Amino acid sequence: MRPLREFLTDEDRAAIRAPISEARTFPQIAYRSQEFFEFEVAHLFARNWVAVGFAGSLPHVGYVAPFEIFGIPLLITRAEDKAIRVFHNIGAHDGCPIALTRQSRATTLEGPYHGWQYNLRGVLVKAPFWDGTPNPDLSGLRKQSADLKEIRSSIWNDIIFVDLSGTCPALPVFLAPLMALFEDFDFSTLEMAHDSADGDGIHRFSAKANWKPLWENYAPNVYHEGFVHEQYRRSAHVPRVDDQARKTFREINDGIVKGLAFESASVSQTYPDVDFPKIKSRTTGAPVTTSYILNIYPNATFLVFPTHVRISILAPVDAGNTQWLIASYYADGSARDPAHKEMRQRSIEGSARARVEDDHVCEAVQRARRSPAYRSHFYSPFWDRMHYDFNKMVLNDLERAPP
């Protein structure tokens, strides 16, 4: 793998770290090069907790969900002990994925190439005719490390995170700024809605764009709202500044957490009117009143309204393609209640429209980065502090790679 200095010059790095009024973003190569993307996978994503799925999409024992992220085939199972596990979805002998399709009543995993079978904890239980007999002794294969390779994983608020390196600090340490922010929010009654087309509760969107502009667009780029989104253009509360050019939101820029907080009543004209049961304060039992639109570094977003929570996972495919995985959570039984189905549909449709509008612009930005007129761009000191700090975080991670 090429070293970082072959992608970014000393001048590029200095420009990223310059004061915001003088700083520049990453150059074109950081958004278009597959080699640069693979460098990010090895030295950024593999060294942070990465969101990969939702526990609620595997609601009972026997669920199996194969997927890919960063071009790596992975597999999530819920085994007999009800625990969620994540594995590399690849057979040690034949290199073929063990599971090709999602299952809901599996008792074992059978590889499609040579019929090897594993239990849902990833242990090899059968290798038919390996030595010419129907049920060979597996002791020799165990010495070859033939079981599935499990990846360290952990769950917070239904989000499944993995540590590809196995060396990250414990997930609560990594998520400390986010957990502190919602310490008083009682999320215990939230359930995942399963209204998606695939029936697993996950709404999927594909974008022909690099992961970084998609990530920075979501919460850090508050400036774009009234120009890109129809619902924001109709709102008297956007742009989010008052007549004294003061922000009408609280900017949150705390390490891995970047985004905005605002009182829900102050933006009554901006978002679809829904009347789900409210999330409560742990301290008072009263409904919470503050809304949050947040990014969690490196690849998740966390939208919290008093009426629901919507979590998005940004799953990079390669340098120019990314998939969104989006799940919605509602309180006190309203995630499954047929009486709330139409309102849930209205809520997710609003988010889907915004997602398509955002992705359309980000795809245009991705294409434009082929232009010889573009190398990098500058920041608005008023709006872009979170974007500026995000790029410095990315650079910090990449510079931890060996020279």
Side-chain angles (χ1 to χ4, degrees), residues 185 237 240 248 261-272 278 287-292 304-308:
F185 280 57
H237 307 304
R240 296 181 193 257
T248 57
F262 49 91
E263 289 305 302
S264 303
S266 70
V267 292
S268 56
Q269 299 177 28
T270 304
Y271 300 101
K278 304 296 191 297
V288 299
T289 60
T290 305
S291 292
Y292 297 84
V304 180
F305 284 174
T307 52
H308 61 285

Side-chain angles (χ1 to χ4, degrees), residues 14 87 98 107 109 112 116 132 157 168 175 190 205 218 240 245 249 256 259 271 280 287 292 333 337 349 376 386 389:
F87 301 94
I98 298 303
T107 55
L109 304 167
W116 284 24
N157 267 6
C168 291
L175 293 180
L190 293 178
F205 297 85
Y218 186 83
R240 296 181 193 257
F249 61 94
I256 65 165
Y271 300 101
K280 303 293 198 310
Y292 297 84
D337 186 349
E349 284 176 354
S376 62
M386 292 183 286
D389 286 346

Side-chain angles (χ1 to χ4, degrees), residues 225-340:
E225 289 179 328
F227 305 100
V228 172
H229 299 299
E230 179 185 354
Q231 73 180 45
Y232 286 110
R233 287 197 297 272
R234 294 197 305 261
S235 174
H237 307 304
V238 175
R240 296 181 193 257
V241 292
D242 64 17
D243 56 8
Q244 302 297 312
R246 296 172 299 197
K247 294 174 182 175
T248 57
F249 61 94
R250 176 164 58 93
E251 188 168 290
I252 299 170
N253 192 5
D254 186 4
I256 65 165
V257 181
K258 302 191 184 302
L260 57 155
F262 49 91
E263 289 305 302
S264 303
S266 70
V267 292
S268 56
Q269 299 177 28
T270 304
Y271 300 101
D273 184 25
V274 293
D275 189 27
F276 298 107
K278 304 296 191 297
I279 299 168
K280 303 293 198 310
S281 160
R282 292 182 186 275
T283 303
T284 68
V288 299
T289 60
T290 305
S291 292
Y292 297 84
I293 304 175
L294 302 172
N295 283 25
I296 309 167
Y297 184 84
N299 76 317
T301 75
F302 200 56
L303 181 148
V304 180
F305 284 174
T307 52
H308 61 285
V309 171
R310 186 157 290 129
I311 301 168
S312 300
I313 295 172
L314 199 59
V317 177
D318 55 33
N321 292 279
T322 309
Q323 187 177 46
W324 287 99
L325 310 176
I326 303 175
S328 300
Y329 298 81
Y330 304 91
D332 298 330
S334 56
R336 310 292 172 86
D337 186 349
H340 288 94

Side-chain angles (χ1 to χ4, degrees), residues 39-354:
F39 193 95
E40 290 177 321
V41 172
H43 301 293
L44 187 159
F45 290 112
R47 297 184 179 183
N48 288 284
W49 284 99
V50 175
V52 296
F54 308 96
S57 70
L58 296 90
H60 59 71
V61 170
Y63 265 88
V64 174
F67 67 103
E68 286 192 10
I69 189 168
F70 321 125
I72 303 170
L74 302 181
L75 176 66
I76 307 174
T77 70
R78 191 182 286 274
E80 297 82 358
D81 59 357
K82 300 183 179 180
I84 292 282
R85 291 178 175 84
V86 184
F87 301 94
H88 286 284
N89 185 16
I90 189 165
H93 164 58
D94 54 32
C96 180
I98 298 303
L100 299 180
T101 59
R102 182 179 172 84
Q103 302 171 53
S104 61
R105 300 289 176 184
T107 55
T108 58
L109 304 167
E110 182 171 322
Y113 203 1
H114 292 111
W116 284 24
Q117 292 180 15
Y118 300 81
N119 66 24
L120 298 183
R121 300 186 188 196
V123 177
L124 181 68
V125 295
K126 192 173 183 180
F129 298 100
W130 173 251
D131 62 358
T133 65
N135 295 292
D137 176 49
L138 300 179
S139 57
L141 287 173
R142 299 207 187 285
K143 295 178 182 178
Q144 298 279 5
S145 300
D147 294 341
L148 296 184
K149 302 297 185 293
E150 186 171 357
I151 300 168
R152 183 186 181 204
S153 63
S154 192
I155 297 171
W156 180 78
N157 267 6
D158 207 56
I159 311 172
I160 303 170
F161 291 88
V162 298
D163 167 18
L164 290 168
S165 69
T167 61
C168 291
L171 184 63
V173 175
F174 182 78
L175 293 180
L178 183 68
M179 295 172 69
L181 196 60
F182 293 105
E183 185 177 15
D184 192 47
F185 280 57
D186 184 3
F187 291 141
S188 64
T189 69
L190 293 178
E191 291 181 286
M192 183 182 185
H194 279 230
D195 300 323
S196 65
D198 293 338
D200 60 359
I202 303 175
H203 299 263
R204 295 170 171 86
F205 297 85
S206 295
K208 295 179 179 179
N210 184 266
W211 72 277
K212 292 186 290 299
L214 291 165
W215 193 94
E216 69 203 28
N217 167 266
Y218 186 83
N221 193 334
V222 183
Y223 188 29
H224 83 280
E225 289 179 328
F227 305 100
V228 172
H229 299 299
E230 179 185 354
Q231 73 180 45
Y232 286 110
R233 287 197 297 272
R234 294 197 305 261
S235 174
H237 307 304
V238 175
R240 296 181 193 257
V241 292
D242 64 17
D243 56 8
Q244 302 297 312
R246 296 172 299 197
K247 294 174 182 175
T248 57
F249 61 94
R250 176 164 58 93
E251 188 168 290
I252 299 170
N253 192 5
D254 186 4
I256 65 165
V257 181
K258 302 191 184 302
L260 57 155
F262 49 91
E263 289 305 302
S264 303
S266 70
V267 292
S268 56
Q269 299 177 28
T270 304
Y271 300 101
D273 184 25
V274 293
D275 189 27
F276 298 107
K278 304 296 191 297
I279 299 168
K280 303 293 198 310
S281 160
R282 292 182 186 275
T283 303
T284 68
V288 299
T289 60
T290 305
S291 292
Y292 297 84
I293 304 175
L294 302 172
N295 283 25
I296 309 167
Y297 184 84
N299 76 317
T301 75
F302 200 56
L303 181 148
V304 180
F305 284 174
T307 52
H308 61 285
V309 171
R310 186 157 290 129
I311 301 168
S312 300
I313 295 172
L314 199 59
V317 177
D318 55 33
N321 292 279
T322 309
Q323 187 177 46
W324 287 99
L325 310 176
I326 303 175
S328 300
Y329 298 81
Y330 304 91
D332 298 330
S334 56
R336 310 292 172 86
D337 186 349
H340 288 94
K341 184 174 182 179
E342 183 179 346
M343 194 157 41
R344 292 196 303 268
Q345 190 66 26
R346 190 164 70 247
S347 176
I348 190 62
E349 284 176 354
S351 286
R353 281 194 300 273

